[in-house]
Amino acid sequence: MTEREINMSELSIKELSINNISEIKALFFDIFTNEPWNDDWSDETQLHEYITDLIGNRNSLSLGLYEDGELIGLSLGSIMHWYTGTEYYIFEFCIKTDRQGKGAGTAFLKMAEEHAKTKGATHIFLQTERTVPAYGFYRKNGFSELTDHVSFYKYFEQEN
């Protein structure tokens, strides 16, 4: 087995908390500041606050995928109670770049789904962009696009 191959028997998940913030931030930064995302997370305070927002709330369900003790994946979300049932709302899902395309993401999604079911979740909700590889990944893994769903944003005008 080469260094980049995934040994599925070595994969495990665990719930993450604020105690794991350093390793979460390091992996998140490494993944999302590179292709295809190229997000600018150079503001350490903003990164810290964002991760804290995701993992520090009372209904957080943040999971880590570990391969032989190394954190290689994140599923940062919350259990949300909606009229259609309890959902696992995933805000960020990612796999370490050199582990992508080898089955780890698919295995992690299945593990996360099973774990979310133990918390009473009946479905997963997440968002991504059509123009990134994640779109095809989610489709391949049985996710359906909500054709009537629209996401909006509005930047505030900055005062000088």
Side-chain angles (χ1 to χ4, degrees), residues 4-158:
R4 292 182 182 253
E5 289 180 12
I6 300 293
N7 182 348
M8 295 301 173
S9 67
E10 297 294 324
L11 296 179
S12 63
I13 67 167
K14 77 173 191 178
E15 282 194 38
L16 302 174
S17 71
I18 202 73
N19 296 329
N20 306 101
I21 196 163
S22 294
E23 67 179 331
I24 293 169
K25 287 190 319 187
L27 182 58
F28 185 89
F29 182 90
D30 185 53
I31 293 169
F32 286 106
T33 59
N34 290 300
E35 292 291 334
W37 311 104
N38 297 313
D39 294 341
D40 181 3
W41 285 106
S42 59
D43 183 335
E44 170 65 25
T45 301
Q46 199 71 3
L47 175 60
H48 183 83
E49 292 300 321
Y50 181 62
I51 298 300
T52 301
D53 287 344
L54 296 177
I55 65 175
N57 62 64
R58 75 171 185 85
N59 60 337
S60 173
L61 181 54
S62 295
L63 303 170
L65 178 68
Y66 288 83
E67 180 187 29
D68 197 24
E70 177 190 358
L71 180 64
I72 66 164
L74 296 169
S75 182
L76 306 178
S78 295
I79 294 295
M80 303 294 287
H81 302 90
W82 191 237
Y83 76 94
T84 58
T86 302
E87 63 188 20
Y88 178 33
Y89 192 119
I90 299 176
F91 295 99
E92 301 291 351
F93 185 90
C94 56
I95 297 292
K96 191 172 182 178
T97 306
D98 68 350
R99 304 303 205 290
Q100 293 175 8
K102 300 179 180 4
T106 296
F108 189 24
L109 266 179
K110 289 177 184 172
M111 290 179 195
E113 179 179 331
E114 290 304 313
H115 193 80
K117 286 179 184 177
T118 71
K119 303 290 185 180
T122 61
H123 57 280
I124 294 174
F125 181 86
L126 57 80
Q127 296 180 7
T128 194
E129 298 171 18
R130 282 187 185 92
T131 59
V132 296
Y135 179 82
F137 169 77
Y138 293 124
R139 299 283 301 206
K140 175 187 85 166
N141 280 284
F143 284 76
S144 300
E145 186 173 347
L146 296 173
T147 56
D148 291 337
H149 180 86
V150 178
S151 295
F152 287 101
Y153 74 96
K154 178 182 179 181
Y155 283 105
F156 301 133
E157 289 186 33
Q158 300 297 314

